[in-house]
Amino acid sequence: MKTSFFLTFTLSLSLSLNVLGQKKFAQIENLIPTPNEYRNAAGAPGHNYYQQQADYKMELTLDDSKQILRGSEVITYTNNSPDALDYLWLQLDQNLFAKDSDSKLITVEKMEDFRSISSIERRLFDYDGGFKIEEVKALNGADLNYSINKTMLRIDLKQALKTNGSISFKIKWWYNINDRMAVGGRSGYEYFKDEDNYIYTIAQFFPRMCVYDDVSGWQNKQFLGRGEFTLPFGNYEVSLTVPGDHVVSATGTLQNESTVLSATERKRLQTARKADSPVFIVTQEEAEKAEQNKVKSLKTWKFKANNVRDFAFASSRKFIWDAQNTTVGGKDVLCMSFYPKEGNPLWERYSTKLVAHTVNTYSKYTVDYPYPVAISVNGPIGGMEYPMISFNGPRAEK
């Protein structure tokens, strides 16, 4: 027995040292984490594990004439940690595009970056980006003490937020949406000059709570564009006011179909919920008609999503919309695609079928897909994913 234990211990130590030898400057904590009350030796949650919660209620307005997004949000933040919090940190991702952004300081340019007129124009493009924060208030209307440090916003609380306590506050803001083709970014708009229309694929668009955990406290590192980010989970209720002829897709489930969809579109959507192949809710012919007949009225689309870490949406009068059902773990998942005519025939032939195939395949080999919808949107973004919705760029070659 002693020999067996010694051999097992020696083999385990040898393997650990071998791993360390391959990464000579790695911290041992990252490779062989020490178990504690928050996580056990296997990396699973320990008996005192916690996650913070951030719930959002948002009202958004998309100005299609000026390419501006205006929003107000009520954030309810619940402190599940054992610590009393004297201040709160929020992410301001859109400040990546502000004129004083640190991202400009880390950019390394080479002569080969200026080989075309378009590449020169991109670097000289004048764009007034970044959040314009109009107010940060308590729900009773009192101003909250806050400061902005580039892509981070800190709210200093008059009274510490105690364990199991929650606080609600309101932020009002707006920003100029970036031209994705001119200045880059993980979201933005694509302009179609011939018909004077836009596709908006919008993400990282609202002030969002940073993660607070036992490892690093507040994760308030500056966002420089290429790094990833973590967010606390929460519930979202979002109202999106857009031009009346726009079709909107978003994280979550649509709450007011009877208000924003025609009787024909609602009937098609009901058919799609039971179909095993794509059904058009908005056809190419209908989308092309909307491209020409721009209405001046507005519609408000309402979405709700529970227990997600982020929210994204897309909006355009150019969108063709098709959908089909797939079943995972006994639950229905509505698979959908939103795309312009420029994406055809590729997208109408394959997109939604591939969404359903992906949901089923990953569910088979990992865990069941947990959400009620899965969406692929064709726009200017080459590939970005958010809860229930992905922005994907490929189109058929002309």
Side-chain angles (χ1 to χ4, degrees), residues 271-283:
T271 301
R273 288 191 171 108
K274 300 177 182 178
D276 58 4
S277 60
V279 174
F280 285 103
I281 290 86
V282 176
T283 67

Side-chain angles (χ1 to χ4, degrees), residues 306-344:
N306 292 327
N307 198 29
V308 295
R309 58 183 287 276
D310 203 359
F311 189 98
F313 71 93
S315 183
S316 180
R317 62 175 54 87
K318 291 177 61 64
F319 279 151
I320 303 163
W321 175 11
D322 67 46
Q324 74 168 79
N325 180 67
T326 193
T327 303
V328 173
K331 296 181 179 180
D332 290 333
V333 178
L334 186 61
C335 302
M336 298 184 280
S337 296
F338 297 77
Y339 50 95
K341 64 180 184 297
E342 288 79 5
N344 274 336

Side-chain angles (χ1 to χ4, degrees), residues 71-212:
S72 65
E73 59 183 341
V74 173
I75 302 175
T76 299
Y77 185 72
T78 302
N79 180 19
N80 295 318
S81 80
D83 308 318
L85 304 178
D86 296 317
Y87 49 82
L88 308 175
W89 279 102
L90 291 85
Q91 298 180 190
L92 301 178
D93 302 69
Q94 284 298 318
N95 284 359
L96 170 74
F97 297 110
K99 293 186 177 181
D100 64 347
S101 170
D102 285 347
S103 62
K104 295 179 173 61
L105 302 178
I106 65 169
T107 301
V108 177
E109 294 181 336
K110 304 179 291 294
M111 286 300 297
E112 52 265 34
D113 294 333
F114 298 89
R115 287 181 293 189
S116 66
I117 296 297
S118 61
S119 64
I120 295 173
E121 288 176 342
R122 181 165 179 167
R123 281 159 178 79
L124 297 178
F125 189 82
D126 187 22
Y127 167 60
D128 180 20
F131 282 114
K132 321 304 183 193
I133 304 293
E134 295 187 338
E135 64 180 36
V136 181
K137 293 180 177 289
L139 295 191
N140 64 6
D143 290 331
L144 295 180
N145 184 26
Y146 72 95
S147 57
I148 295 176
N149 183 354
K150 303 295 177 66
T151 61
M152 290 291 158
L153 182 151
R154 193 176 93 166
I155 299 175
D156 294 305
L157 304 176
K158 291 183 178 180
Q159 294 181 334
L161 181 60
K162 297 180 180 180
T163 301
N164 298 323
S166 64
I167 183 174
S168 296
F169 55 94
K170 180 180 180 180
I171 302 179
K172 187 177 181 182
W173 47 266
W174 66 274
Y175 72 88
N176 295 306
I177 302 172
N178 56 300
D179 181 341
R180 175 62 178 79
M181 315 308 288
V183 300
R186 299 186 184 187
S187 72
Y189 69 76
E190 179 181 9
Y191 180 55
F192 294 81
K193 184 177 180 180
D194 290 344
E195 62 203 37
D196 190 30
N197 276 317
Y198 296 83
I199 289 178
Y200 299 91
T201 46
I202 306 298
Q204 298 169 245
F205 64 89
F206 58 102
R208 308 181 292 176
M209 294 302 304
C210 296
V211 163
Y212 180 87

Side-chain angles (χ1 to χ4, degrees), residues 52 77 89 91 209-213 216-220 229-233:
Q52 308 290 66
Y77 185 72
W89 279 102
Q91 298 180 190
M209 294 302 304
C210 296
V211 163
Y212 180 87
D213 62 23
S216 55
W218 285 106
Q219 294 187 18
N220 56 356
F229 48 83
T230 56
L231 298 165
F233 282 81

